[in-house]
Amino acid sequence: MARLPARRALLAAVLGVSWQQRLLGHHVVPAAWRRRRFSAGSRAEDSSPVTPMLKHLMFKIKSTGPITVAEYMREVLTNPVKGYYMHHDMLGERGDFVTSPEISQIFGELIGIWYVSEWMATGKPKTFQLVELGPGRGTLTDDILRVFNQLGSLLNKCDISIHLVEVSPKLSEIQAFTLTGGKIQPELDVTSPVYMKGISKAGIPIFWYRELQDVPQGTSFYLAHEFFDALPIHKFQRTEKGWREVLIDIDPEAPDQLRFVLAPSTTPATELFIQRKEVRDHVEVCPDAGILIQRLACRIQEDGGAALIADYGHNGNKTDTFRSFRSHELHDALTGPGTADLTADVDFSYLRTMTQGRVATLGPLNQHEFLKNMGIDVRLQVLLQNSSDKAMHKHLLQGYDMLMNPKKMGDRFHFFALLPHQRLAHSDQKVNLRHSRSLSATVAGFGELVWK
Ligand code: SAH
């Protein structure tokens, strides 16, 4: 058995086995299944830079003038007809980018443990919703549900439901296949905000929505992994004449191409979004993220639960992070719109400000530390010991390296949590302050996981 840190060793002694073995079993998800292929949808337009989306945007710009970067991102990513996310599967080796849950099952399992740990810390409510924003292929929720299933003895009296917020018809179809094996029903009631529903392989009801506001209120655990970075940002540049918003216009020297320009004067967005004390010369602001965080904070304040947000980002110090990825390579953000991902680093300090003190926040903490605290090393050892397949060992070790290596995802991705104030105040009473443990140390991931 792998060597366990002292507190875990105590737990293991109580449980008689490694806590990871006890809690999660030995199940290794076959690598081939994790890399399963779905139809990537039609990308016939990829070969020509003059995409239908480019034509649409040029028409718009010719009619009403240059557009903001936020408008460009919103149209390119989520336009119902030609948006990048809407009609093809961009995740994985054959797509444009790969995410942590697609790399290793361990990632989703540890996130599942985080939710169970928070559920226990908040008094084991009898009912809760797991709400995922932007679930991609559904892999992360699937891995979390496997943990819930294996912890059946703990959760069996709990009424759990899954609520997925997803705009993409193509990805929701893939999520439905991953989570229910295809057993879904379209919602026939046109007044219902639910557009699809199904039952998970273990019998948990699943509902799909287009917006967070449509998800019913109630004790909820929220999850957003690589979701906030896809929300539209405004970009601003400091000039000698003051702040100017960066806009997108047609290049007069190449009529099939777009280019960045500066607004000739201040715009309402400049007045609204740039803080007086700002010291940077270039700033990106994501008002949609601010609104979403306010909604999450209000819900958690009123109904309890927690939110875990994981993304690449910074603490209010980075400048120009807007970029595009296609086939795992950096791509010109203004070329072939609709055929490549657009993304900007998440400003966690802005998210913290936008909670307006309604909830406590923890992080951002880098992925390496968060997963270490969650016990990734022990889980890896358990999975390695329970498989004799060399290819599986290689897959697990490569996945671990990708998630944890500071030069890969370990340092780039960060975890940020919203928790009810009483969650930390409550643990405060249990903490022996003479040992001056910080409050964050009582929340798994931000401190070492201790299974009570
Ligand atoms: N969380 C997944 C997928 C990340 S990709 C993973 O880590 O693997 C971003 C996801 O957010 C996709 O599912 C995309 O369709 C969804 N998405 C993007 N913008 C959205 C929006 N405005 N509303 C709801 N879902 C959105």
Side-chain angles (χ1 to χ4, degrees), residues 77-78 85-86 90-91 97 99-102 132-137 140 165-168 171 175 209-210 224-227 229-232:
L77 294 182
T78 57
Y85 278 117
M86 306 312 265
M90 68 295 300
L91 287 144
F97 59 98
T99 60
S100 297
E102 300 296 333
E132 186 176 1
L133 308 176
R137 284 176 168 173
L140 184 48
V165 178
E166 175 58 76
V167 280
S168 163
L171 290 177
Q175 291 151 19
Y209 312 78
R210 290 191 179 84
H225 183 262
E226 288 217 40
F227 172 77
D229 70 277
L231 299 180

PDB file of all heavy atoms in Angstrom, residues 77-78 85-86 90-91 97 99-102 132-137 140 165-168 171 175 209-210 224-227 229-232, ligand 1:
ATOM      1  N   LEU A  77     -18.865  32.069 -30.967  1.00  0.00           N
ATOM      2  CA  LEU A  77     -18.947  30.830 -30.171  1.00  0.00           C
ATOM      3  C   LEU A  77     -20.360  30.274 -30.069  1.00  0.00           C
ATOM      4  O   LEU A  77     -20.558  29.068 -30.140  1.00  0.00           O
ATOM      5  CB  LEU A  77     -18.386  31.065 -28.760  1.00  0.00           C
ATOM      6  CG  LEU A  77     -16.890  31.376 -28.677  1.00  0.00           C
ATOM      7  CD1 LEU A  77     -16.471  31.544 -27.224  1.00  0.00           C
ATOM      8  CD2 LEU A  77     -16.050  30.273 -29.329  1.00  0.00           C
ATOM      9  N   THR A  78     -21.352  31.155 -29.883  1.00  0.00           N
ATOM     10  CA  THR A  78     -22.678  30.604 -29.524  1.00  0.00           C
ATOM     11  C   THR A  78     -23.817  31.080 -30.420  1.00  0.00           C
ATOM     12  O   THR A  78     -24.977  30.915 -30.056  1.00  0.00           O
ATOM     13  CB  THR A  78     -23.013  30.899 -28.039  1.00  0.00           C
ATOM     14  OG1 THR A  78     -22.948  32.307 -27.825  1.00  0.00           O
ATOM     15  CG2 THR A  78     -22.070  30.203 -27.087  1.00  0.00           C
ATOM     16  N   TYR A  85     -19.460  26.425 -30.883  1.00  0.00           N
ATOM     17  CA  TYR A  85     -19.823  25.363 -29.944  1.00  0.00           C
ATOM     18  C   TYR A  85     -21.056  24.575 -30.370  1.00  0.00           C
ATOM     19  O   TYR A  85     -21.337  23.515 -29.819  1.00  0.00           O
ATOM     20  CB  TYR A  85     -20.097  25.956 -28.548  1.00  0.00           C
ATOM     21  CG  TYR A  85     -18.834  26.196 -27.759  1.00  0.00           C
ATOM     22  CD1 TYR A  85     -18.459  27.465 -27.377  1.00  0.00           C
ATOM     23  CD2 TYR A  85     -18.015  25.128 -27.420  1.00  0.00           C
ATOM     24  CE1 TYR A  85     -17.290  27.680 -26.667  1.00  0.00           C
ATOM     25  CE2 TYR A  85     -16.848  25.332 -26.717  1.00  0.00           C
ATOM     26  CZ  TYR A  85     -16.496  26.604 -26.345  1.00  0.00           C
ATOM     27  OH  TYR A  85     -15.340  26.797 -25.653  1.00  0.00           O
ATOM     28  N   MET A  86     -21.820  25.109 -31.322  1.00  0.00           N
ATOM     29  CA  MET A  86     -23.169  24.584 -31.520  1.00  0.00           C
ATOM     30  C   MET A  86     -23.246  23.234 -32.222  1.00  0.00           C
ATOM     31  O   MET A  86     -24.065  22.407 -31.878  1.00  0.00           O
ATOM     32  CB  MET A  86     -24.047  25.604 -32.260  1.00  0.00           C
ATOM     33  CG  MET A  86     -24.076  26.957 -31.598  1.00  0.00           C
ATOM     34  SD  MET A  86     -24.394  26.884 -29.830  1.00  0.00           S
ATOM     35  CE  MET A  86     -26.136  27.123 -29.803  1.00  0.00           C
ATOM     36  N   MET A  90     -15.587  19.656 -30.376  1.00  0.00           N
ATOM     37  CA  MET A  90     -14.245  20.238 -30.522  1.00  0.00           C
ATOM     38  C   MET A  90     -13.251  19.705 -29.483  1.00  0.00           C
ATOM     39  O   MET A  90     -12.096  20.083 -29.454  1.00  0.00           O
ATOM     40  CB  MET A  90     -14.323  21.768 -30.401  1.00  0.00           C
ATOM     41  CG  MET A  90     -14.686  22.321 -29.037  1.00  0.00           C
ATOM     42  SD  MET A  90     -16.362  21.894 -28.488  1.00  0.00           S
ATOM     43  CE  MET A  90     -17.370  22.592 -29.745  1.00  0.00           C
ATOM     44  N   LEU A  91     -13.725  18.814 -28.594  1.00  0.00           N
ATOM     45  CA  LEU A  91     -12.875  18.354 -27.496  1.00  0.00           C
ATOM     46  C   LEU A  91     -12.095  17.096 -27.876  1.00  0.00           C
ATOM     47  O   LEU A  91     -12.568  16.292 -28.663  1.00  0.00           O
ATOM     48  CB  LEU A  91     -13.752  18.065 -26.278  1.00  0.00           C
ATOM     49  CG  LEU A  91     -14.280  19.316 -25.580  1.00  0.00           C
ATOM     50  CD1 LEU A  91     -15.672  19.085 -25.060  1.00  0.00           C
ATOM     51  CD2 LEU A  91     -13.350  19.728 -24.460  1.00  0.00           C
ATOM     52  N   PHE A  97      -9.018  21.274 -28.640  1.00  0.00           N
ATOM     53  CA  PHE A  97      -8.352  21.355 -27.338  1.00  0.00           C
ATOM     54  C   PHE A  97      -8.787  20.169 -26.486  1.00  0.00           C
ATOM     55  O   PHE A  97      -9.815  19.538 -26.756  1.00  0.00           O
ATOM     56  CB  PHE A  97      -8.634  22.684 -26.624  1.00  0.00           C
ATOM     57  CG  PHE A  97     -10.093  22.958 -26.359  1.00  0.00           C
ATOM     58  CD1 PHE A  97     -10.666  22.698 -25.128  1.00  0.00           C
ATOM     59  CD2 PHE A  97     -10.911  23.487 -27.357  1.00  0.00           C
ATOM     60  CE1 PHE A  97     -12.003  22.948 -24.878  1.00  0.00           C
ATOM     61  CE2 PHE A  97     -12.267  23.752 -27.121  1.00  0.00           C
ATOM     62  CZ  PHE A  97     -12.812  23.483 -25.874  1.00  0.00           C
ATOM     63  N   THR A  99      -9.321  18.786 -22.366  1.00  0.00           N
ATOM     64  CA  THR A  99      -9.498  19.305 -20.999  1.00  0.00           C
ATOM     65  C   THR A  99      -9.151  18.207 -19.986  1.00  0.00           C
ATOM     66  O   THR A  99      -9.136  17.024 -20.327  1.00  0.00           O
ATOM     67  CB  THR A  99     -10.946  19.757 -20.791  1.00  0.00           C
ATOM     68  OG1 THR A  99     -11.803  18.628 -21.008  1.00  0.00           O
ATOM     69  CG2 THR A  99     -11.341  20.874 -21.744  1.00  0.00           C
ATOM     70  N   SER A 100      -8.935  18.615 -18.743  1.00  0.00           N
ATOM     71  CA  SER A 100      -8.487  17.663 -17.712  1.00  0.00           C
ATOM     72  C   SER A 100      -9.386  16.430 -17.588  1.00  0.00           C
ATOM     73  O   SER A 100      -8.884  15.307 -17.532  1.00  0.00           O
ATOM     74  CB  SER A 100      -8.365  18.352 -16.356  1.00  0.00           C
ATOM     75  OG  SER A 100      -7.393  19.348 -16.429  1.00  0.00           O
ATOM     76  N   PRO A 101     -10.734  16.584 -17.535  1.00  0.00           N
ATOM     77  CA  PRO A 101     -11.542  15.364 -17.389  1.00  0.00           C
ATOM     78  C   PRO A 101     -11.391  14.412 -18.570  1.00  0.00           C
ATOM     79  O   PRO A 101     -11.584  13.202 -18.420  1.00  0.00           O
ATOM     80  CB  PRO A 101     -12.989  15.873 -17.288  1.00  0.00           C
ATOM     81  CG  PRO A 101     -12.964  17.318 -17.590  1.00  0.00           C
ATOM     82  CD  PRO A 101     -11.562  17.798 -17.481  1.00  0.00           C
ATOM     83  N   GLU A 102     -11.035  14.952 -19.738  1.00  0.00           N
ATOM     84  CA  GLU A 102     -10.843  14.095 -20.912  1.00  0.00           C
ATOM     85  C   GLU A 102      -9.494  13.396 -20.865  1.00  0.00           C
ATOM     86  O   GLU A 102      -9.255  12.437 -21.588  1.00  0.00           O
ATOM     87  CB  GLU A 102     -10.943  14.914 -22.211  1.00  0.00           C
ATOM     88  CG  GLU A 102     -12.282  15.619 -22.425  1.00  0.00           C
ATOM     89  CD  GLU A 102     -13.448  14.648 -22.579  1.00  0.00           C
ATOM     90  OE1 GLU A 102     -13.208  13.515 -23.028  1.00  0.00           O
ATOM     91  OE2 GLU A 102     -14.580  15.026 -22.229  1.00  0.00           O
ATOM     92  N   GLU A 132     -23.883  21.537 -13.396  1.00  0.00           N
ATOM     93  CA  GLU A 132     -22.651  21.803 -14.138  1.00  0.00           C
ATOM     94  C   GLU A 132     -22.913  22.805 -15.252  1.00  0.00           C
ATOM     95  O   GLU A 132     -23.852  22.663 -16.040  1.00  0.00           O
ATOM     96  CB  GLU A 132     -22.024  20.520 -14.716  1.00  0.00           C
ATOM     97  CG  GLU A 132     -20.666  20.887 -15.333  1.00  0.00           C
ATOM     98  CD  GLU A 132     -19.825  19.742 -15.876  1.00  0.00           C
ATOM     99  OE1 GLU A 132     -20.251  18.591 -15.831  1.00  0.00           O
ATOM    100  OE2 GLU A 132     -18.713  20.056 -16.364  1.00  0.00           O
ATOM    101  N   LEU A 133     -22.056  23.822 -15.335  1.00  0.00           N
ATOM    102  CA  LEU A 133     -22.140  24.817 -16.409  1.00  0.00           C
ATOM    103  C   LEU A 133     -21.173  24.388 -17.505  1.00  0.00           C
ATOM    104  O   LEU A 133     -19.994  24.153 -17.250  1.00  0.00           O
ATOM    105  CB  LEU A 133     -21.737  26.201 -15.897  1.00  0.00           C
ATOM    106  CG  LEU A 133     -22.460  26.700 -14.637  1.00  0.00           C
ATOM    107  CD1 LEU A 133     -21.889  28.037 -14.183  1.00  0.00           C
ATOM    108  CD2 LEU A 133     -23.947  26.841 -14.891  1.00  0.00           C
ATOM    109  N   GLY A 134     -21.657  24.244 -18.727  1.00  0.00           N
ATOM    110  CA  GLY A 134     -20.794  23.887 -19.859  1.00  0.00           C
ATOM    111  C   GLY A 134     -20.156  22.522 -19.710  1.00  0.00           C
ATOM    112  O   GLY A 134     -18.935  22.415 -19.582  1.00  0.00           O
ATOM    113  N   PRO A 135     -20.957  21.452 -19.720  1.00  0.00           N
ATOM    114  CA  PRO A 135     -20.399  20.116 -19.406  1.00  0.00           C
ATOM    115  C   PRO A 135     -19.631  19.422 -20.538  1.00  0.00           C
ATOM    116  O   PRO A 135     -19.226  18.279 -20.356  1.00  0.00           O
ATOM    117  CB  PRO A 135     -21.651  19.288 -19.051  1.00  0.00           C
ATOM    118  CG  PRO A 135     -22.825  20.199 -19.154  1.00  0.00           C
ATOM    119  CD  PRO A 135     -22.415  21.421 -19.907  1.00  0.00           C
ATOM    120  N   GLY A 136     -19.415  20.067 -21.662  1.00  0.00           N
ATOM    121  CA  GLY A 136     -18.601  19.451 -22.725  1.00  0.00           C
ATOM    122  C   GLY A 136     -19.173  18.137 -23.193  1.00  0.00           C
ATOM    123  O   GLY A 136     -20.303  18.062 -23.661  1.00  0.00           O
ATOM    124  N   ARG A 137     -18.406  17.060 -23.017  1.00  0.00           N
ATOM    125  CA  ARG A 137     -18.886  15.729 -23.420  1.00  0.00           C
ATOM    126  C   ARG A 137     -19.618  14.993 -22.294  1.00  0.00           C
ATOM    127  O   ARG A 137     -19.976  13.837 -22.446  1.00  0.00           O
ATOM    128  CB  ARG A 137     -17.710  14.858 -23.812  1.00  0.00           C
ATOM    129  CG  ARG A 137     -17.147  15.183 -25.163  1.00  0.00           C
ATOM    130  CD  ARG A 137     -15.938  14.298 -25.334  1.00  0.00           C
ATOM    131  NE  ARG A 137     -15.459  14.300 -26.688  1.00  0.00           N
ATOM    132  CZ  ARG A 137     -14.338  13.713 -27.055  1.00  0.00           C
ATOM    133  NH1 ARG A 137     -13.609  13.081 -26.151  1.00  0.00           N
ATOM    134  NH2 ARG A 137     -13.961  13.742 -28.299  1.00  0.00           N
ATOM    135  N   LEU A 140     -16.933  14.742 -17.107  1.00  0.00           N
ATOM    136  CA  LEU A 140     -16.669  15.114 -15.712  1.00  0.00           C
ATOM    137  C   LEU A 140     -17.844  14.684 -14.821  1.00  0.00           C
ATOM    138  O   LEU A 140     -17.641  14.063 -13.769  1.00  0.00           O
ATOM    139  CB  LEU A 140     -16.428  16.635 -15.653  1.00  0.00           C
ATOM    140  CG  LEU A 140     -16.041  17.265 -14.330  1.00  0.00           C
ATOM    141  CD1 LEU A 140     -14.918  16.508 -13.648  1.00  0.00           C
ATOM    142  CD2 LEU A 140     -15.635  18.722 -14.533  1.00  0.00           C
ATOM    143  N   VAL A 165     -26.240  22.972 -17.666  1.00  0.00           N
ATOM    144  CA  VAL A 165     -26.508  24.210 -18.412  1.00  0.00           C
ATOM    145  C   VAL A 165     -25.625  24.162 -19.662  1.00  0.00           C
ATOM    146  O   VAL A 165     -24.392  24.210 -19.560  1.00  0.00           O
ATOM    147  CB  VAL A 165     -26.180  25.454 -17.544  1.00  0.00           C
ATOM    148  CG1 VAL A 165     -26.404  26.729 -18.346  1.00  0.00           C
ATOM    149  CG2 VAL A 165     -27.027  25.452 -16.276  1.00  0.00           C
ATOM    150  N   GLU A 166     -26.258  24.021 -20.812  1.00  0.00           N
ATOM    151  CA  GLU A 166     -25.498  23.797 -22.046  1.00  0.00           C
ATOM    152  C   GLU A 166     -26.239  24.437 -23.226  1.00  0.00           C
ATOM    153  O   GLU A 166     -27.420  24.194 -23.410  1.00  0.00           O
ATOM    154  CB  GLU A 166     -25.339  22.286 -22.281  1.00  0.00           C
ATOM    155  CG  GLU A 166     -24.662  21.908 -23.586  1.00  0.00           C
ATOM    156  CD  GLU A 166     -23.279  22.515 -23.716  1.00  0.00           C
ATOM    157  OE1 GLU A 166     -22.356  22.031 -23.076  1.00  0.00           O
ATOM    158  OE2 GLU A 166     -23.125  23.490 -24.489  1.00  0.00           O
ATOM    159  N   VAL A 167     -25.534  25.254 -23.995  1.00  0.00           N
ATOM    160  CA  VAL A 167     -26.174  25.880 -25.167  1.00  0.00           C
ATOM    161  C   VAL A 167     -26.052  25.036 -26.428  1.00  0.00           C
ATOM    162  O   VAL A 167     -26.768  25.268 -27.391  1.00  0.00           O
ATOM    163  CB  VAL A 167     -25.578  27.266 -25.520  1.00  0.00           C
ATOM    164  CG1 VAL A 167     -26.128  28.335 -24.629  1.00  0.00           C
ATOM    165  CG2 VAL A 167     -24.077  27.241 -25.548  1.00  0.00           C
ATOM    166  N   SER A 168     -25.106  24.125 -26.450  1.00  0.00           N
ATOM    167  CA  SER A 168     -24.800  23.435 -27.710  1.00  0.00           C
ATOM    168  C   SER A 168     -25.679  22.195 -27.928  1.00  0.00           C
ATOM    169  O   SER A 168     -25.623  21.236 -27.146  1.00  0.00           O
ATOM    170  CB  SER A 168     -23.327  22.996 -27.682  1.00  0.00           C
ATOM    171  OG  SER A 168     -23.091  22.022 -28.668  1.00  0.00           O
ATOM    172  N   LEU A 171     -23.243  19.158 -28.331  1.00  0.00           N
ATOM    173  CA  LEU A 171     -22.618  18.650 -27.113  1.00  0.00           C
ATOM    174  C   LEU A 171     -23.652  18.065 -26.153  1.00  0.00           C
ATOM    175  O   LEU A 171     -23.374  17.081 -25.469  1.00  0.00           O
ATOM    176  CB  LEU A 171     -21.785  19.749 -26.436  1.00  0.00           C
ATOM    177  CG  LEU A 171     -20.512  20.128 -27.204  1.00  0.00           C
ATOM    178  CD1 LEU A 171     -19.788  21.276 -26.519  1.00  0.00           C
ATOM    179  CD2 LEU A 171     -19.562  18.947 -27.344  1.00  0.00           C
ATOM    180  N   GLN A 175     -23.470  14.564 -24.344  1.00  0.00           N
ATOM    181  CA  GLN A 175     -23.619  14.418 -22.875  1.00  0.00           C
ATOM    182  C   GLN A 175     -24.691  13.376 -22.555  1.00  0.00           C
ATOM    183  O   GLN A 175     -24.521  12.534 -21.668  1.00  0.00           O
ATOM    184  CB  GLN A 175     -24.035  15.768 -22.253  1.00  0.00           C
ATOM    185  CG  GLN A 175     -22.951  16.825 -22.292  1.00  0.00           C
ATOM    186  CD  GLN A 175     -23.508  18.243 -22.361  1.00  0.00           C
ATOM    187  OE1 GLN A 175     -24.662  18.499 -22.034  1.00  0.00           O
ATOM    188  NE2 GLN A 175     -22.676  19.171 -22.789  1.00  0.00           N
ATOM    189  N   TYR A 209     -30.672  22.653 -19.466  1.00  0.00           N
ATOM    190  CA  TYR A 209     -31.180  24.031 -19.584  1.00  0.00           C
ATOM    191  C   TYR A 209     -30.203  24.847 -20.433  1.00  0.00           C
ATOM    192  O   TYR A 209     -29.045  24.476 -20.568  1.00  0.00           O
ATOM    193  CB  TYR A 209     -31.241  24.735 -18.222  1.00  0.00           C
ATOM    194  CG  TYR A 209     -31.882  23.933 -17.128  1.00  0.00           C
ATOM    195  CD1 TYR A 209     -31.168  22.908 -16.482  1.00  0.00           C
ATOM    196  CD2 TYR A 209     -33.193  24.175 -16.723  1.00  0.00           C
ATOM    197  CE1 TYR A 209     -31.750  22.158 -15.479  1.00  0.00           C
ATOM    198  CE2 TYR A 209     -33.778  23.427 -15.712  1.00  0.00           C
ATOM    199  CZ  TYR A 209     -33.047  22.420 -15.104  1.00  0.00           C
ATOM    200  OH  TYR A 209     -33.632  21.685 -14.116  1.00  0.00           O
ATOM    201  N   ARG A 210     -30.687  25.993 -20.895  1.00  0.00           N
ATOM    202  CA  ARG A 210     -29.788  26.881 -21.646  1.00  0.00           C
ATOM    203  C   ARG A 210     -29.146  27.923 -20.747  1.00  0.00           C
ATOM    204  O   ARG A 210     -28.115  28.476 -21.067  1.00  0.00           O
ATOM    205  CB  ARG A 210     -30.549  27.574 -22.778  1.00  0.00           C
ATOM    206  CG  ARG A 210     -30.918  26.576 -23.853  1.00  0.00           C
ATOM    207  CD  ARG A 210     -31.439  27.138 -25.128  1.00  0.00           C
ATOM    208  NE  ARG A 210     -31.712  26.003 -26.018  1.00  0.00           N
ATOM    209  CZ  ARG A 210     -32.851  25.300 -25.988  1.00  0.00           C
ATOM    210  NH1 ARG A 210     -33.813  25.631 -25.171  1.00  0.00           N
ATOM    211  NH2 ARG A 210     -33.004  24.262 -26.789  1.00  0.00           N
ATOM    212  N   ALA A 224     -18.034  24.538 -12.657  1.00  0.00           N
ATOM    213  CA  ALA A 224     -17.756  25.171 -13.953  1.00  0.00           C
ATOM    214  C   ALA A 224     -16.295  24.885 -14.283  1.00  0.00           C
ATOM    215  O   ALA A 224     -15.386  25.468 -13.669  1.00  0.00           O
ATOM    216  CB  ALA A 224     -18.009  26.667 -13.877  1.00  0.00           C
ATOM    217  N   HIS A 225     -16.064  23.968 -15.209  1.00  0.00           N
ATOM    218  CA  HIS A 225     -14.691  23.628 -15.591  1.00  0.00           C
ATOM    219  C   HIS A 225     -14.466  24.084 -17.018  1.00  0.00           C
ATOM    220  O   HIS A 225     -15.162  23.656 -17.938  1.00  0.00           O
ATOM    221  CB  HIS A 225     -14.463  22.109 -15.475  1.00  0.00           C
ATOM    222  CG  HIS A 225     -13.052  21.738 -15.787  1.00  0.00           C
ATOM    223  ND1 HIS A 225     -12.656  21.263 -17.011  1.00  0.00           N
ATOM    224  CD2 HIS A 225     -11.933  21.836 -15.032  1.00  0.00           C
ATOM    225  CE1 HIS A 225     -11.363  21.061 -16.992  1.00  0.00           C
ATOM    226  NE2 HIS A 225     -10.890  21.398 -15.809  1.00  0.00           N
ATOM    227  N   GLU A 226     -13.501  24.959 -17.217  1.00  0.00           N
ATOM    228  CA  GLU A 226     -13.237  25.542 -18.543  1.00  0.00           C
ATOM    229  C   GLU A 226     -14.537  26.081 -19.149  1.00  0.00           C
ATOM    230  O   GLU A 226     -14.835  25.822 -20.311  1.00  0.00           O
ATOM    231  CB  GLU A 226     -12.571  24.519 -19.470  1.00  0.00           C
ATOM    232  CG  GLU A 226     -11.131  24.263 -19.081  1.00  0.00           C
ATOM    233  CD  GLU A 226     -10.236  24.073 -20.289  1.00  0.00           C
ATOM    234  OE1 GLU A 226     -10.412  24.795 -21.278  1.00  0.00           O
ATOM    235  OE2 GLU A 226      -9.357  23.195 -20.223  1.00  0.00           O
ATOM    236  N   PHE A 227     -15.298  26.793 -18.355  1.00  0.00           N
ATOM    237  CA  PHE A 227     -16.539  27.402 -18.829  1.00  0.00           C
ATOM    238  C   PHE A 227     -16.384  28.923 -18.874  1.00  0.00           C
ATOM    239  O   PHE A 227     -16.674  29.560 -19.888  1.00  0.00           O
ATOM    240  CB  PHE A 227     -17.691  27.007 -17.901  1.00  0.00           C
ATOM    241  CG  PHE A 227     -18.967  27.736 -18.203  1.00  0.00           C
ATOM    242  CD1 PHE A 227     -19.748  27.374 -19.287  1.00  0.00           C
ATOM    243  CD2 PHE A 227     -19.381  28.807 -17.413  1.00  0.00           C
ATOM    244  CE1 PHE A 227     -20.932  28.060 -19.583  1.00  0.00           C
ATOM    245  CE2 PHE A 227     -20.561  29.486 -17.702  1.00  0.00           C
ATOM    246  CZ  PHE A 227     -21.331  29.104 -18.790  1.00  0.00           C
ATOM    247  N   ASP A 229     -13.855  30.769 -19.230  1.00  0.00           N
ATOM    248  CA  ASP A 229     -12.922  31.297 -20.232  1.00  0.00           C
ATOM    249  C   ASP A 229     -13.582  31.439 -21.609  1.00  0.00           C
ATOM    250  O   ASP A 229     -13.035  32.076 -22.495  1.00  0.00           O
ATOM    251  CB  ASP A 229     -11.683  30.391 -20.338  1.00  0.00           C
ATOM    252  CG  ASP A 229     -12.009  29.056 -20.986  1.00  0.00           C
ATOM    253  OD1 ASP A 229     -12.490  28.155 -20.276  1.00  0.00           O
ATOM    254  OD2 ASP A 229     -11.803  28.918 -22.208  1.00  0.00           O
ATOM    255  N   ALA A 230     -14.771  30.825 -21.773  1.00  0.00           N
ATOM    256  CA  ALA A 230     -15.451  30.910 -23.077  1.00  0.00           C
ATOM    257  C   ALA A 230     -16.454  32.070 -23.103  1.00  0.00           C
ATOM    258  O   ALA A 230     -17.080  32.313 -24.125  1.00  0.00           O
ATOM    259  CB  ALA A 230     -16.184  29.592 -23.354  1.00  0.00           C
ATOM    260  N   LEU A 231     -16.591  32.777 -21.979  1.00  0.00           N
ATOM    261  CA  LEU A 231     -17.571  33.874 -21.948  1.00  0.00           C
ATOM    262  C   LEU A 231     -16.959  35.137 -22.567  1.00  0.00           C
ATOM    263  O   LEU A 231     -15.749  35.376 -22.452  1.00  0.00           O
ATOM    264  CB  LEU A 231     -18.013  34.130 -20.501  1.00  0.00           C
ATOM    265  CG  LEU A 231     -18.705  32.940 -19.818  1.00  0.00           C
ATOM    266  CD1 LEU A 231     -19.103  33.302 -18.386  1.00  0.00           C
ATOM    267  CD2 LEU A 231     -19.932  32.482 -20.598  1.00  0.00           C
ATOM    268  N   PRO A 232     -17.800  35.956 -23.206  1.00  0.00           N
ATOM    269  CA  PRO A 232     -17.287  37.107 -23.973  1.00  0.00           C
ATOM    270  C   PRO A 232     -16.637  38.186 -23.112  1.00  0.00           C
ATOM    271  O   PRO A 232     -17.197  38.582 -22.087  1.00  0.00           O
ATOM    272  CB  PRO A 232     -18.544  37.681 -24.648  1.00  0.00           C
ATOM    273  CG  PRO A 232     -19.644  36.714 -24.404  1.00  0.00           C
ATOM    274  CD  PRO A 232     -19.248  35.807 -23.292  1.00  0.00           C
TER     275      PRO A 232
HETATM  276  N1  SAH B   1     -16.428  21.486 -18.994  1.00  0.00           N
HETATM  277  C1  SAH B   1     -16.066  20.721 -20.161  1.00  0.00           C
HETATM  278  C2  SAH B   1     -16.183  21.498 -21.479  1.00  0.00           C
HETATM  279  C3  SAH B   1     -15.454  22.803 -21.600  1.00  0.00           C
HETATM  280  S1  SAH B   1     -15.726  23.577 -23.174  1.00  0.00           S
HETATM  281  C4  SAH B   1     -14.674  20.151 -19.985  1.00  0.00           C
HETATM  282  O1  SAH B   1     -13.912  20.672 -19.179  1.00  0.00           O
HETATM  283  O2  SAH B   1     -14.338  19.189 -20.673  1.00  0.00           O
HETATM  284  C5  SAH B   1     -16.977  24.806 -22.806  1.00  0.00           C
HETATM  285  C6  SAH B   1     -18.369  24.250 -22.582  1.00  0.00           C
HETATM  286  O3  SAH B   1     -19.238  25.338 -22.269  1.00  0.00           O
HETATM  287  C7  SAH B   1     -19.018  23.569 -23.784  1.00  0.00           C
HETATM  288  O4  SAH B   1     -19.842  22.534 -23.306  1.00  0.00           O
HETATM  289  C8  SAH B   1     -19.824  24.698 -24.415  1.00  0.00           C
HETATM  290  O5  SAH B   1     -20.830  24.263 -25.282  1.00  0.00           O
HETATM  291  C9  SAH B   1     -20.354  25.370 -23.173  1.00  0.00           C
HETATM  292  N2  SAH B   1     -20.719  26.772 -23.325  1.00  0.00           N
HETATM  293  C10 SAH B   1     -19.980  27.758 -23.861  1.00  0.00           C
HETATM  294  N3  SAH B   1     -20.603  28.954 -23.744  1.00  0.00           N
HETATM  295  C11 SAH B   1     -21.768  28.704 -23.097  1.00  0.00           C
HETATM  296  C12 SAH B   1     -22.842  29.530 -22.655  1.00  0.00           C
HETATM  297  N4  SAH B   1     -22.840  30.825 -22.873  1.00  0.00           N
HETATM  298  N5  SAH B   1     -23.867  28.940 -21.995  1.00  0.00           N
HETATM  299  C13 SAH B   1     -23.861  27.604 -21.750  1.00  0.00           C
HETATM  300  N6  SAH B   1     -22.866  26.762 -22.158  1.00  0.00           N
HETATM  301  C14 SAH B   1     -21.841  27.312 -22.821  1.00  0.00           C
END
